[in-house]
Amino acid sequence: MGIGMRVFISWSGQASRMCAEALRDWLPYMNQAIEPFVSSQDISKGERGLDKIANELNDCTYGIVCVTRENQSAPWINFESGALSRELGKSMLAPFLLDLAVKDLTGPVAQFQATESSSKSDVWALVKSMNSKCDPNVDGERLEVVFNRFWTDLDESLIKVRAAQPENDTPVRETPDILNELVALVREQTLQIRSLESRVQSSRDVNSSTRYTIDYDPYEARAQDERELQRQRINRFAGAVARVVGQEHMMEMRIKTENDVQFTVTPEGLEIAQAQVEELQAVASKYRIGGTIALPGRKGQWVSMAPF
């Protein structure tokens, strides 16, 4: 017998909520193992506690964020996107664009593989991705038949949601802005590739028993510089977190990865962190480092920070 796949659907604002509810009702037709979760409270009002979000995330294996022109820069949309990606991984999080194109998507959520809700092929790709992670999954040919049968239902529901929205004067992104973002992404990927090449070369040198080299390796030197910069960035991040929570409440810091730091604090420190979660998220976004703030042994509640 298969295990249901819990899907966390995040939303903010009236149109986004209606989109989330339409997906909640429609997705189980694609695969009965899909179990969508849509919260009953608007995240923009901050009425859902962070511990509630964390508990739901623990049970979810896929995340969908319903994005509109109006809410794409909303702090809570970006917070939940970060929390979802941190728990599930980038490949398990899909921004679902109600009334904008991928090229007009901005902010932290733009780094994920987005789905344009008005594109049948885009939604089909999302359905196939979700089905592949279900247990059991539906046969490809049968899934396509079901999708084609029910696509009109979802499309018509979303058309009504878009039609009910007031006119939005959010400008469409200009071509130079999009090109600048692409250049930045390419540069970042180039640095990552060079860093990987240096690690591979270093591993080969260490494991070689027949040849030694003392040649200067500029890639290795760059990798060492990057590690030092990363260490400094983590130290600055930890200092900023301590200033928000209070140095006297900090007990221990544990670096899990270069982008994931765990802090152990006193009960008073946790209360401060819960009250200052937006400021802590701003710190995490600034340094692109995520983490958690919890009591010793991660007992009880904790505060999660996403790295964007």
Side-chain angles (χ1 to χ4, degrees):
M1 185 175 181
I3 301 174
M5 184 177 79
R6 191 81 162 159
V7 179
F8 188 104
I9 305 180
S10 174
W11 59 274
S12 177
Q14 179 71 5
S16 181
R17 178 184 64 80
M18 295 171 67
C19 176
E21 291 175 347
L23 284 173
R24 177 197 60 196
D25 296 339
W26 185 80
L27 283 172
Y29 288 119
M30 302 299 102
N31 188 318
Q32 293 183 356
I34 297 176
E35 300 176 2
F37 169 81
V38 176
S39 64
S40 59
Q41 298 293 330
D42 189 335
I43 58 178
S44 64
K45 296 178 180 178
E47 295 181 1
R48 282 179 287 159
L50 297 181
D51 55 331
K52 170 66 174 176
I53 295 174
N55 289 336
E56 289 297 336
L57 288 176
N58 287 336
D59 296 330
C60 292
T61 52
Y62 208 97
I64 296 176
V65 183
C66 296
V67 184
T68 66
R69 287 188 181 276
E70 181 182 14
N71 75 7
Q72 65 173 315
S73 299
W76 280 102
I77 275 286
N78 290 320
F79 170 79
E80 285 205 345
S81 299
L84 283 165
S85 69
R86 186 168 175 273
E87 292 289 335
L88 307 177
K90 287 187 178 181
S91 64
M92 305 289 274
L93 176 64
F96 193 79
L97 312 184
L98 177 64
D99 58 353
L100 70 162
V102 171
K103 68 181 180 64
D104 297 323
L105 188 61
T106 60
V109 76
Q111 67 184 292
F112 304 105
Q113 185 68 40
T115 297
E116 293 187 14
S117 65
S118 59
S119 168
K120 184 177 181 179
S121 61
D122 264 21
V123 179
W124 168 234
L126 174 65
V127 167
K128 288 192 293 183
S129 172
M130 297 179 69
N131 179 64
S132 69
K133 296 171 177 62
C134 289
D135 180 20
N137 56 46
V138 176
D139 174 75
E141 292 184 3
R142 178 185 172 193
L143 181 67
E144 187 170 10
V145 170
V146 173
F147 175 80
N148 288 328
R149 162 63 182 83
F150 287 98
W151 159 249
T152 303
D153 295 348
L154 176 64
D155 190 36
E156 290 179 351
S157 296
L158 296 180
I159 288 173
K160 292 179 181 177
V161 174
R162 297 187 198 102
Q165 288 192 92
E167 289 295 325
N168 193 309
D169 58 358
T170 303
V172 175
R173 296 181 70 191
E174 299 293 336
T175 299
D177 182 33
I178 298 173
L179 291 176
N180 288 337
E181 182 175 315
L182 286 174
V183 170
L185 289 172
V186 170
R187 287 174 177 170
E188 182 179 351
Q189 291 296 320
T190 300
L191 286 175
Q192 292 177 352
I193 291 172
R194 288 177 176 175
S195 178
L196 178 60
E197 287 175 345
S198 72
R199 292 193 182 110
V200 171
Q201 181 61 45
S202 178
S203 175
R204 288 174 178 170
D205 291 344
V206 170
N207 293 328
S208 175
S209 59
T210 60
R211 179 173 59 87
Y212 298 91
T213 179
I214 58 173
D215 293 340
Y216 174 72
D217 186 346
Y219 287 165
E220 179 62 25
R222 184 180 291 108
Q224 292 176 356
D225 290 342
E226 290 176 354
R227 287 193 291 269
E228 175 61 22
L229 289 173
Q230 178 64 18
R231 184 186 65 81
Q232 295 176 8
R233 187 161 62 98
I234 290 176
N235 288 338
R236 290 195 295 269
F237 169 68
V241 171
R243 286 191 290 274
V244 175
V245 177
Q247 186 65 51
E248 67 277 13
H249 300 306
M250 305 296 289
M251 299 176 62
E252 183 183 3
M253 180 181 79
R254 179 186 176 194
I255 302 174
K256 293 187 65 179
T257 68
E258 63 181 15
N259 293 314
D260 189 359
V261 181
Q262 292 184 345
F263 298 96
T264 301
V265 299
T266 64
E268 294 81 3
L270 182 60
E271 290 181 4
I272 295 173
Q274 290 173 327
Q276 300 295 329
V277 64
E278 289 194 26
E279 185 173 353
L280 288 168
Q281 181 55 49
V283 170
S285 298
K286 176 181 178 180
Y287 292 102
R288 291 185 173 273
I289 299 176
T292 55
I293 300 175
L295 299 176
R298 289 181 66 88
K299 297 178 180 178
Q301 301 176 351
W302 67 87
V303 170
S304 177
M305 298 172 290
F308 32 73

